[in-house]
Amino acid sequence: MAYKEGEWTVGPWDCCSDPGAGCLVCCCAPCALGQIKEMVTTGNASPSFTGDMETCCLYWLVQGCTGCGFLISMGVRTELRNKYKLPEKPCGDCLFHCCCGCCAITQDLKEARIRVVNAGGPEATEMAR
């Protein structure tokens, strides 16, 4: 899938267009978030299920203890947006992650996968499957 710099390739409500990504986010949002962080930071898909372990554990801890995991996922989304010069749509990162965290993380995961796969590399291709 081709993408344009500065534009999202997937919509914020496209949760069901990739059932695998949606299920991962619903069943293990911390792992999905770790994968996003790994792809944004390194430009490669992680060979591990959890991706960036620090982000995965931090999200799990903050969400479990305070219910404010959206603060962590919001930060990862901001990094993703800044890296690819994406607009803050459909609303601010904080509001989107607070009100519809599953949709936001799913959009972030799909966007990161598309951009890492298009960048090439065997790890990226394997992750996208």
Side-chain angles (χ1 to χ4, degrees):
M1 171 183 259
Y3 62 88
K4 292 181 182 178
E5 191 71 29
E7 291 183 22
W8 290 93
T9 57
V10 293
W13 318 120
D14 284 344
C15 300
C16 297
S17 66
D18 180 357
C23 287
L24 174 61
V25 171
C26 287
C27 294
C28 191
C31 295
L33 203 59
Q35 288 181 14
I36 298 163
K37 175 71 173 187
E38 181 86 13
M39 287 185 274
V40 169
T41 304
T42 67
N44 290 312
S46 174
S48 76
F49 184 69
T50 59
D52 180 67
M53 184 61 90
E54 289 177 12
T55 302
C56 178
C57 292
L58 183 61
Y59 178 85
W60 180 82
L61 182 66
V62 171
Q63 181 63 24
C65 293
T66 67
C68 294
F70 70 90
L71 296 172
I72 307 303
S73 59
M74 170 193 71
V76 173
R77 181 179 179 89
T78 301
E79 285 183 54
L80 175 75
R81 280 191 322 91
N82 289 339
K83 181 170 183 168
Y84 297 112
K85 299 174 181 67
L86 300 170
E88 208 168 356
K89 285 173 47 177
C91 56
D93 294 342
C94 185
L95 184 61
F96 191 32
H97 274 267
C98 182
C99 295
C100 196
C102 284
C103 290
I105 296 172
T106 301
Q107 181 187 27
D108 297 347
L109 179 61
K110 290 166 43 176
E111 190 72 32
R113 285 180 175 175
I114 288 167
R115 290 180 184 266
V116 167
V117 167
N118 283 342
E123 299 90 1
T125 303
E126 186 60 33
M127 180 63 175
R129 291 186 185 156

